[in-house]
Amino acid sequence: MTLRYAILGLLASEPASGLDLVRRFQKSAGFAWFAYHSQIYPELARCLQEGLIEEIGTGPRGKRVYRTTQRGRAAVQVWLRETEPDRVVRNDASLRSFFTWLLEPDEAEAFYRSEANYHGNMLRELEQLKASLGPDPPANPADASSRLTLELGLRLARVRMDWATWAADQTARQLPVSRQRKLQSVTTERRRGA
Amino acid sequence: MTLRYAILGLLASEPASGLDLVRRFQKSAGFAWFAYHSQIYPELARCLQEGLIEEIGTGPRGKRVYRTTQRGRAAVQVWLRETEPDRVVRNDASLRSFFTWLLEPDEAEAFYRSEANYHGNMLRELEQLKASLGPDPPANPADASSRLTLELGLRLARVRMDWATWAADQTARQLPVSRQRKLQSVTTERRRGA
DNA sequence: GCATTCATGTAAAAGGTTACATGATTGG
DNA sequence: CCAATCATGTAACCTTTTACATGAATGC
């Protein structure tokens, strides 16, 4: 049922069409939830039928814009108040890290570097998003919540990037002898002098 | 297909039964992946049939212990090398944070405190896990990967706990006038003096 | 005019959750 | 001996993913 409340919650702060929601799930809310359009359209239809949202206008190419009704808002509040967050985590990239010992050290290092790179890009995107946001302190309450949550996205991206860089460095240090010598020509020479 | 590789990867470092895997998905690997036993048993049967794992022994109550075969190991390596990690994120608690503006300020604060509490507990559990781990530097390569990945779990739990505490404090500062006065009796009095 | 993008929708397949079912061992 | 726990398995249901389908507007 989380998808339903994701939609109702998003449409409560700003009216949107199905594709608009896809875009919000891809960027601003992407670090918290994601859904395909094939899932969103049927859910919108169900919510509309149940009076949780209403169609408030149409746009160019058959675009239909929705907004959450009072009933829909109440439904989100009940969900927030009376249910515990689902704590199940499934993160493919985190899982892969458990299995890097099955790779050659240089492959493992490359994996961690690519992780760092991915989250570095993510971080930049979220920083741009933050910069493009309205005034601080925010004008409306929804913006305040968005700001708080965006801060989480930023912190998560940063911690994943830093961790992956650290893991890559750790992995690099235990490379086979052939590659370790190249590093020693710079570092060990000094150690010998001491 | 990620579940399959999760199982193959785990059984490559240490043989286990179906329920053993459930336990590993609940604690040590819980911040990366989760699966129910009802998903694990059929997958084990399929992997066994395809020669990706083998049964290496039995235990007390009909317990069947499996280990990943060379073919299974190769399959994990191909997966790691040739496929990109699935980047889709779905986090119920993160999503809820977007919608806290629909709650009373004290309810929103309570939500963030409860988040901080949850991740504080998680952090303690992972720290215990770390303490219970083998020697550092690790004896076998799988342990090295586990250590790296556990460090990610620790950092994620810490960042979520700190963020939630910060968000709760932020929310507390914007409480309705009635409760703000109680704080003012302590803080604003001083400001007036300056 | 015609390719691209925007926009909505449906269908089938895969994956995940909840519920049901059963038997063996252990601990009190 | 009997309740609780360990252990495996299956079935129905729900959610998510991938694929198919179509039309309207825009930009060149």
Side-chain angles (χ1 to χ4, degrees):
Chain A
M1 284 280 83
T2 307
L3 171 66
R4 157 162 298 194
Y5 298 108
I7 290 174
L8 293 177
L10 289 177
L11 292 181
S13 63
E14 200 185 335
S17 69
L19 258 207
D20 291 340
L21 287 173
V22 171
R23 289 186 200 109
R24 284 164 86 175
F25 282 131
Q26 274 170 350
K27 41 169 212 147
S28 50
F31 63 88
W33 204 263
F34 177 76
Y36 290 97
H37 77 274
S38 56
Q39 212 181 347
I40 293 170
Y41 288 117
E43 192 60 48
L44 282 171
R46 279 188 291 271
C47 289
L48 188 63
Q49 211 204 333
E50 294 175 38
L52 301 171
I53 61 173
E54 58 191 340
E55 201 178 324
I56 58 162
T58 54
R61 298 131 157 158
K63 185 174 188 170
R64 309 170 67 185
V65 179
Y66 304 95
R67 174 174 60 190
T68 302
T69 62
Q70 263 311 318
R71 269 195 71 199
R73 224 171 224 258
V76 179
Q77 287 166 339
V78 168
W79 173 66
L80 287 172
R81 284 176 183 136
E82 298 181 10
T83 66
E84 279 296 300
D86 180 353
R87 300 296 187 179
V88 167
V89 175
R90 283 193 189 84
N91 189 300
D92 186 315
S94 304
L95 179 70
R96 283 168 190 246
S97 170
F98 275 111
F99 307 143
T100 50
W101 62 279
L102 290 165
L103 295 174
E104 294 299 319
D106 62 328
E107 290 176 311
E109 192 196 339
F111 165 74
Y112 288 120
R113 298 265 176 240
S114 131
E115 280 300 297
N117 184 58
Y118 175 83
H119 291 289
N121 290 337
M122 180 61 53
L123 188 56
R124 246 169 287 138
E125 278 172 42
L126 292 177
E127 268 161 358
Q128 277 172 29
L129 195 69
K130 188 181 180 181
S132 76
L133 239 58
D136 189 16
N140 62 332
D143 283 0
S145 296
S146 288
R147 270 188 179 279
L148 287 189
T149 317
L150 177 58
E151 177 63 26
L152 172 62
L154 285 164
R155 292 189 189 193
L156 287 175
R158 224 173 276 133
V159 88
R160 282 188 172 276
M161 181 183 72
D162 292 346
W163 167 80
T165 303
W166 170 82
D169 291 346
Q170 292 276 311
T171 308
R173 263 191 246 157
Q174 48 171 40
L175 282 178
V177 189
S178 58
R179 244 196 99 180
Q180 275 179 23
R181 272 192 198 131
K182 288 177 193 168
L183 295 172
Q184 281 175 350
S185 64
V186 186
T187 54
T188 320
E189 232 74 318
R190 239 178 299 171
R191 242 176 256 150
R192 273 184 200 145
Chain B
M1 282 283 82
T2 306
L3 170 68
R4 157 162 298 196
Y5 298 108
I7 291 174
L8 294 176
L10 289 177
L11 292 182
S13 63
E14 200 184 336
S17 70
L19 258 207
D20 291 339
L21 287 173
V22 171
R23 288 187 201 109
R24 284 165 84 174
F25 282 131
Q26 273 170 350
K27 40 169 214 145
S28 51
F31 62 88
W33 204 262
F34 176 76
Y36 290 98
H37 77 273
S38 55
Q39 213 181 348
I40 293 170
Y41 287 118
E43 193 60 47
L44 282 171
R46 280 188 290 272
C47 288
L48 189 63
Q49 210 204 333
E50 295 176 36
L52 302 170
I53 60 173
E54 58 190 342
E55 201 178 323
I56 59 162
T58 54
R61 298 132 157 157
K63 184 174 188 170
R64 310 170 66 185
V65 179
Y66 303 95
R67 173 175 60 190
T68 302
T69 61
Q70 263 312 318
R71 268 195 73 200
R73 222 174 224 257
V76 180
Q77 287 166 339
V78 168
W79 173 65
L80 287 171
R81 285 177 182 135
E82 298 180 8
T83 65
E84 279 296 302
D86 180 353
R87 302 296 188 180
V88 167
V89 176
R90 281 196 191 83
N91 189 300
D92 187 315
S94 304
L95 180 70
R96 283 167 190 246
S97 170
F98 276 111
F99 307 143
T100 50
W101 63 278
L102 289 166
L103 295 175
E104 294 300 318
D106 62 327
E107 291 177 309
E109 193 197 337
F111 165 74
Y112 288 120
R113 299 262 177 243
S114 132
E115 280 300 297
N117 184 58
Y118 175 83
H119 292 290
N121 290 337
M122 179 62 52
L123 188 55
R124 248 170 287 138
E125 279 173 41
L126 291 176
E127 268 160 359
Q128 276 173 28
L129 195 68
K130 187 181 178 180
S132 75
L133 240 56
D136 191 15
N140 62 332
D143 282 0
S145 296
S146 288
R147 271 189 177 278
L148 286 189
T149 316
L150 177 59
E151 176 64 26
L152 172 62
L154 286 164
R155 292 190 189 192
L156 287 175
R158 223 173 278 134
V159 89
R160 281 188 174 276
M161 182 185 71
D162 292 346
W163 167 80
T165 303
W166 170 82
D169 292 346
Q170 292 275 310
T171 308
R173 263 191 247 157
Q174 47 171 42
L175 282 179
V177 190
S178 57
R179 245 195 97 179
Q180 276 180 24
R181 271 190 199 133
K182 289 178 194 167
L183 295 171
Q184 281 176 352
S185 62
V186 187
T187 55
T188 320
E189 233 73 316
R190 238 179 297 170
R191 242 176 256 150
R192 273 182 200 146

